[in-house]
PDB file of all heavy atoms in Angstrom:
ATOM      1  N   HIS A   7      -7.730  42.298   6.189  1.00 85.00           N
ATOM      2  CA  HIS A   7      -7.661  40.898   5.752  1.00 85.00           C
ATOM      3  C   HIS A   7      -8.681  40.025   6.493  1.00 85.00           C
ATOM      4  O   HIS A   7      -9.286  39.139   5.880  1.00 85.00           O
ATOM      5  CB  HIS A   7      -6.238  40.341   5.931  1.00 85.00           C
ATOM      6  CG  HIS A   7      -5.313  40.767   4.867  1.00 85.00           C
ATOM      7  ND1 HIS A   7      -5.296  40.144   3.602  1.00 85.00           N
ATOM      8  CD2 HIS A   7      -4.408  41.733   4.813  1.00 85.00           C
ATOM      9  CE1 HIS A   7      -4.377  40.719   2.865  1.00 85.00           C
ATOM     10  NE2 HIS A   7      -3.795  41.739   3.556  1.00 85.00           N
ATOM     11  N   SER A   8      -8.876  40.319   7.748  1.00 91.00           N
ATOM     12  CA  SER A   8      -9.879  39.591   8.591  1.00 91.00           C
ATOM     13  C   SER A   8     -11.307  39.841   8.023  1.00 91.00           C
ATOM     14  O   SER A   8     -12.117  38.929   7.872  1.00 91.00           O
ATOM     15  CB  SER A   8      -9.786  39.939  10.012  1.00 91.00           C
ATOM     16  OG  SER A   8     -10.782  39.303  10.767  1.00 91.00           O
ATOM     17  N   LEU A   9     -11.591  41.145   7.708  1.00 91.00           N
ATOM     18  CA  LEU A   9     -12.901  41.489   7.157  1.00 91.00           C
ATOM     19  C   LEU A   9     -13.119  40.822   5.754  1.00 91.00           C
ATOM     20  O   LEU A   9     -14.183  40.352   5.499  1.00 91.00           O
ATOM     21  CB  LEU A   9     -13.015  43.017   6.982  1.00 91.00           C
ATOM     22  CG  LEU A   9     -13.353  43.809   8.262  1.00 91.00           C
ATOM     23  CD1 LEU A   9     -13.325  45.268   7.942  1.00 91.00           C
ATOM     24  CD2 LEU A   9     -14.732  43.376   8.832  1.00 91.00           C
ATOM     25  N   ARG A  10     -12.042  40.798   4.999  1.00 89.00           N
ATOM     26  CA  ARG A  10     -12.092  40.186   3.676  1.00 89.00           C
ATOM     27  C   ARG A  10     -12.486  38.704   3.799  1.00 89.00           C
ATOM     28  O   ARG A  10     -13.308  38.203   3.093  1.00 89.00           O
ATOM     29  CB  ARG A  10     -10.783  40.352   2.926  1.00 89.00           C
ATOM     30  CG  ARG A  10     -10.795  39.702   1.548  1.00 89.00           C
ATOM     31  CD  ARG A  10      -9.372  39.534   1.057  1.00 89.00           C
ATOM     32  NE  ARG A  10      -9.359  39.038  -0.333  1.00 89.00           N
ATOM     33  CZ  ARG A  10      -8.333  38.427  -0.827  1.00 89.00           C
ATOM     34  NH1 ARG A  10      -7.239  38.156  -0.098  1.00 89.00           N
ATOM     35  NH2 ARG A  10      -8.388  38.060  -2.089  1.00 89.00           N
ATOM     36  N   LYS A  11     -11.843  38.027   4.740  1.00 91.00           N
ATOM     37  CA  LYS A  11     -12.098  36.614   4.971  1.00 91.00           C
ATOM     38  C   LYS A  11     -13.526  36.403   5.443  1.00 91.00           C
ATOM     39  O   LYS A  11     -14.216  35.472   4.920  1.00 91.00           O
ATOM     40  CB  LYS A  11     -11.102  36.115   6.047  1.00 91.00           C
ATOM     41  CG  LYS A  11     -11.148  34.596   6.197  1.00 91.00           C
ATOM     42  CD  LYS A  11     -10.053  34.177   7.185  1.00 91.00           C
ATOM     43  CE  LYS A  11     -10.037  32.641   7.370  1.00 91.00           C
ATOM     44  NZ  LYS A  11      -9.035  32.224   8.350  1.00 91.00           N
ATOM     45  N   GLU A  12     -14.037  37.262   6.330  1.00 93.00           N
ATOM     46  CA  GLU A  12     -15.420  37.140   6.734  1.00 93.00           C
ATOM     47  C   GLU A  12     -16.353  37.343   5.621  1.00 93.00           C
ATOM     48  O   GLU A  12     -17.401  36.639   5.520  1.00 93.00           O
ATOM     49  CB  GLU A  12     -15.701  38.232   7.856  1.00 93.00           C
ATOM     50  CG  GLU A  12     -15.068  37.875   9.212  1.00 93.00           C
ATOM     51  CD  GLU A  12     -15.377  39.013  10.205  1.00 93.00           C
ATOM     52  OE1 GLU A  12     -16.571  39.433  10.261  1.00 93.00           O
ATOM     53  OE2 GLU A  12     -14.505  39.383  10.931  1.00 93.00           O
ATOM     54  N   LEU A  13     -16.064  38.372   4.760  1.00 92.00           N
ATOM     55  CA  LEU A  13     -16.975  38.639   3.619  1.00 92.00           C
ATOM     56  C   LEU A  13     -17.029  37.467   2.626  1.00 92.00           C
ATOM     57  O   LEU A  13     -18.083  37.115   2.130  1.00 92.00           O
ATOM     58  CB  LEU A  13     -16.543  39.922   2.921  1.00 92.00           C
ATOM     59  CG  LEU A  13     -17.444  40.403   1.757  1.00 92.00           C
ATOM     60  CD1 LEU A  13     -18.890  40.538   2.196  1.00 92.00           C
ATOM     61  CD2 LEU A  13     -16.941  41.728   1.197  1.00 92.00           C
ATOM     62  N   LYS A  14     -15.890  36.916   2.357  1.00 90.00           N
ATOM     63  CA  LYS A  14     -15.796  35.795   1.420  1.00 90.00           C
ATOM     64  C   LYS A  14     -16.614  34.575   1.952  1.00 90.00           C
ATOM     65  O   LYS A  14     -17.323  33.905   1.198  1.00 90.00           O
ATOM     66  CB  LYS A  14     -14.340  35.391   1.169  1.00 90.00           C
ATOM     67  CG  LYS A  14     -13.570  36.402   0.322  1.00 90.00           C
ATOM     68  CD  LYS A  14     -12.174  35.951   0.031  1.00 90.00           C
ATOM     69  CE  LYS A  14     -12.122  34.937  -1.109  1.00 90.00           C
ATOM     70  NZ  LYS A  14     -10.733  34.641  -1.524  1.00 90.00           N
ATOM     71  N   LYS A  15     -16.511  34.397   3.272  1.00 93.00           N
ATOM     72  CA  LYS A  15     -17.267  33.291   3.891  1.00 93.00           C
ATOM     73  C   LYS A  15     -18.802  33.552   3.768  1.00 93.00           C
ATOM     74  O   LYS A  15     -19.568  32.649   3.414  1.00 93.00           O
ATOM     75  CB  LYS A  15     -16.878  33.152   5.377  1.00 93.00           C
ATOM     76  CG  LYS A  15     -17.588  32.016   6.089  1.00 93.00           C
ATOM     77  CD  LYS A  15     -17.023  31.906   7.518  1.00 93.00           C
ATOM     78  CE  LYS A  15     -17.664  30.744   8.282  1.00 93.00           C
ATOM     79  NZ  LYS A  15     -19.074  31.013   8.662  1.00 93.00           N
ATOM     80  N   ALA A  16     -19.196  34.791   4.060  1.00 92.00           N
ATOM     81  CA  ALA A  16     -20.634  35.123   3.960  1.00 92.00           C
ATOM     82  C   ALA A  16     -21.148  34.962   2.509  1.00 92.00           C
ATOM     83  O   ALA A  16     -22.252  34.524   2.308  1.00 92.00           O
ATOM     84  CB  ALA A  16     -20.861  36.555   4.447  1.00 92.00           C
ATOM     85  N   LEU A  17     -20.321  35.372   1.565  1.00 92.00           N
ATOM     86  CA  LEU A  17     -20.741  35.228   0.118  1.00 92.00           C
ATOM     87  C   LEU A  17     -20.840  33.755  -0.248  1.00 92.00           C
ATOM     88  O   LEU A  17     -21.740  33.374  -0.975  1.00 92.00           O
ATOM     89  CB  LEU A  17     -19.690  35.992  -0.772  1.00 92.00           C
ATOM     90  CG  LEU A  17     -19.674  37.500  -0.673  1.00 92.00           C
ATOM     91  CD1 LEU A  17     -18.590  38.071  -1.587  1.00 92.00           C
ATOM     92  CD2 LEU A  17     -21.018  38.112  -1.005  1.00 92.00           C
ATOM     93  N   TYR A  18     -19.876  32.980   0.211  1.00 90.00           N
ATOM     94  CA  TYR A  18     -19.893  31.548  -0.117  1.00 90.00           C
ATOM     95  C   TYR A  18     -21.162  30.885   0.487  1.00 90.00           C
ATOM     96  O   TYR A  18     -21.803  30.054  -0.149  1.00 90.00           O
ATOM     97  CB  TYR A  18     -18.627  30.897   0.502  1.00 90.00           C
ATOM     98  CG  TYR A  18     -18.578  29.400   0.284  1.00 90.00           C
ATOM     99  CD1 TYR A  18     -18.210  28.854  -0.935  1.00 90.00           C
ATOM    100  CD2 TYR A  18     -18.942  28.509   1.338  1.00 90.00           C
ATOM    101  CE1 TYR A  18     -18.180  27.496  -1.168  1.00 90.00           C
ATOM    102  CE2 TYR A  18     -18.883  27.118   1.130  1.00 90.00           C
ATOM    103  CZ  TYR A  18     -18.524  26.607  -0.122  1.00 90.00           C
ATOM    104  OH  TYR A  18     -18.471  25.270  -0.321  1.00 90.00           O
ATOM    105  N   GLU A  19     -21.567  31.327   1.662  1.00 92.00           N
ATOM    106  CA  GLU A  19     -22.785  30.789   2.306  1.00 92.00           C
ATOM    107  C   GLU A  19     -24.047  31.463   1.843  1.00 92.00           C
ATOM    108  O   GLU A  19     -25.145  31.118   2.305  1.00 92.00           O
ATOM    109  CB  GLU A  19     -22.644  30.946   3.795  1.00 92.00           C
ATOM    110  CG  GLU A  19     -21.553  30.063   4.405  1.00 92.00           C
ATOM    111  CD  GLU A  19     -21.294  30.361   5.912  1.00 92.00           C
ATOM    112  OE1 GLU A  19     -21.875  31.327   6.420  1.00 92.00           O
ATOM    113  OE2 GLU A  19     -20.477  29.617   6.492  1.00 92.00           O
ATOM    114  N   ASN A  20     -23.888  32.440   0.895  1.00 91.00           N
ATOM    115  CA  ASN A  20     -25.003  33.229   0.365  1.00 91.00           C
ATOM    116  C   ASN A  20     -25.781  33.959   1.435  1.00 91.00           C
ATOM    117  O   ASN A  20     -27.013  34.161   1.330  1.00 91.00           O
ATOM    118  CB  ASN A  20     -25.955  32.278  -0.405  1.00 91.00           C
ATOM    119  CG  ASN A  20     -26.720  33.052  -1.475  1.00 91.00           C
ATOM    120  OD1 ASN A  20     -26.281  34.012  -2.024  1.00 91.00           O
ATOM    121  ND2 ASN A  20     -27.978  32.595  -1.700  1.00 91.00           N
TER     122      ASN A  20
END
Side-chain angles (χ1 to χ4, degrees):
H7 279 280
S8 177
L9 281 176
R10 181 198 186 202
K11 189 175 179 181
E12 286 180 42
L13 182 56
K14 289 182 80 171
K15 181 175 182 290
L17 293 179
Y18 178 78
E19 294 171 352
N20 206 30

